[in-house]
């Protein structure tokens, strides 16, 4: 899947993914800054990945984990700080939720600070139903 908008491209083409750039972007987030490189690599290998590009330069990333039948989990959504505030993240979320592969599936995500963004795309905050079990490290 490829979506062109302005000078940018959103693509699910795995051959375009720049692992080093993705690792750099994730290492600057509050949720993945301590994630080991091998876990980042494995997570990418087992997910539907969306890259955002300006020319050949990767400037954004998102992962979707899914069973392809009932649910998907949207995670690791990140845009290079140099490109934030231009609507690129919004276009990425819009592209993902309207992806043919994800139509008819329930979408889930976790965020500490971007509830307003995701609410624009139909995600609803629900503190009463969801539980988390984190690995003991």
């Amino acid at each position: 899947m490829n979506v062109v908008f302005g000078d940018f491209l959103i693509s699910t083409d795995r051959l375009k993914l720049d692992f080093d750039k993705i690792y750099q972007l994730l290492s600057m987030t509050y949720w993945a800054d301590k994630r080991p490189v091998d876990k980042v690599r494995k997570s990418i290998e087992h997910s539907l990945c969306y890259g955002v590009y300006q020319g050949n330069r990767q400037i954004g990333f998102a992962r979707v984990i899914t069973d392809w039948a009932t649910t998907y989990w949207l995670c690791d959504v990140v845009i290079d700080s140099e490109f934030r505030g231009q609507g690129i993240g919004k276009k990425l979320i819009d592209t993902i939720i309207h992806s043919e592969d994800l139509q008819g599936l329930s979408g889930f995500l976790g965020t500490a600070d971007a509830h307003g963004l995701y609410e624009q795309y139909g995600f609803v905050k629900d503190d009463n139903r969801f539980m988390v079990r984190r690995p003991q490290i």
Side-chain angles (χ1 to χ4, degrees), residues 5-133:
F5 63 106
D7 293 337
F8 304 101
L9 168 70
I10 297 173
S11 178
T12 55
D13 183 349
R14 290 186 156 293
L15 297 176
K16 291 183 171 297
L17 294 174
D18 179 345
F19 178 79
D20 292 333
K21 181 62 176 185
I22 294 167
Y23 185 74
Q24 175 195 19
L25 289 170
L26 290 174
S27 70
M28 294 186 287
T29 66
Y30 67 84
W31 67 87
D33 61 334
K34 293 177 180 46
R35 193 178 297 167
V37 68
D38 60 318
K39 289 201 180 231
V40 172
R41 189 173 307 280
K42 190 171 185 178
S43 71
I44 290 170
E45 290 171 0
H46 295 280
S47 299
L48 172 59
C49 297
Y50 291 79
V52 184
Y53 307 90
Q54 183 184 49
N56 291 325
R57 179 180 176 197
Q58 184 158 3
I59 58 128
F61 178 73
R63 285 191 313 118
V64 172
I65 305 163
T66 183
D67 64 6
W68 304 102
T70 61
T71 60
Y72 68 88
W73 179 267
L74 175 60
C75 54
D76 289 343
V77 178
V78 61
I79 302 296
D80 188 310
S81 60
E82 179 183 339
F83 293 90
R84 291 181 191 153
Q86 299 181 43
I88 298 167
K90 289 181 178 183
K91 183 64 176 178
L92 177 57
I93 300 305
D94 185 69
T95 299
I96 292 168
I97 67 163
H98 290 104
S99 166
E100 187 176 323
D101 289 333
L102 304 177
Q103 293 308 296
L105 280 62
S106 296
F108 298 89
L109 62 84
T111 184
D113 60 359
H115 298 92
L117 168 66
Y118 295 110
E119 286 170 345
Q120 294 174 47
Y121 298 94
F123 288 91
V124 177
K125 188 175 179 182
D126 186 348
D127 291 333
N128 296 319
R129 289 184 65 187
F130 297 101
M131 299 175 71
V132 175
R133 181 181 182 275

